[in-house]
Amino acid sequence: VRGLIVTAKGESTDFVSRFFAPRCGINEDPVTGSAHTSLIPLWAQRLGKNKMTALQLSARGGRLWCENKGERCLIGGMARLYMKGEIYI
């Protein structure tokens, strides 16, 4: 198991989540896009809508705009630059 996702219906947002992966060296991920690719179809079905907002409740936290597109999920939000570099092949 890579990690554990915990989710619930939100109060000011459609759903909330937290993601833990201590075996991978990540006690808690602040905002996890890959976890939301599983959560978006789940909540779209439960809520009966394809466009939703989500909040990841980590210490840093993050608000996401989500859309279920069937085979794909669209995820948006504010981001912070973590690293910048160049690769030459």
Side-chain angles (χ1 to χ4, degrees):
V1 175
R2 242 184 59 214
L4 173 70
I5 305 168
V6 180
T7 188
K9 189 169 182 339
E11 292 178 5
S12 63
T13 188
D14 291 302
F15 65 94
V16 296
S17 66
R18 293 180 76 177
F19 180 77
F20 306 93
R23 290 179 70 187
C24 296
I26 304 166
N27 288 332
E28 183 173 6
D29 197 323
V31 184
T32 316
S34 60
H36 283 81
T37 61
S38 297
L39 295 174
I40 292 167
L42 172 86
W43 284 107
Q45 183 180 22
R46 287 188 179 188
L47 299 174
K49 59 186 191 176
N50 288 319
K51 291 186 178 183
M52 299 162 286
T53 58
L55 183 62
Q56 192 151 337
L57 299 174
S58 62
R60 188 182 90 196
R63 188 169 302 276
L64 300 117
W65 295 272
C66 310
E67 185 173 357
N68 183 27
K69 300 285 271 181
E71 292 289 317
R72 296 202 174 263
C73 296
L74 300 180
I75 303 170
M78 301 299 289
R80 294 181 185 166
L81 183 61
Y82 174 74
M83 184 184 312
K84 186 175 180 179
E86 295 181 23
I87 298 174
Y88 297 94
I89 297 177

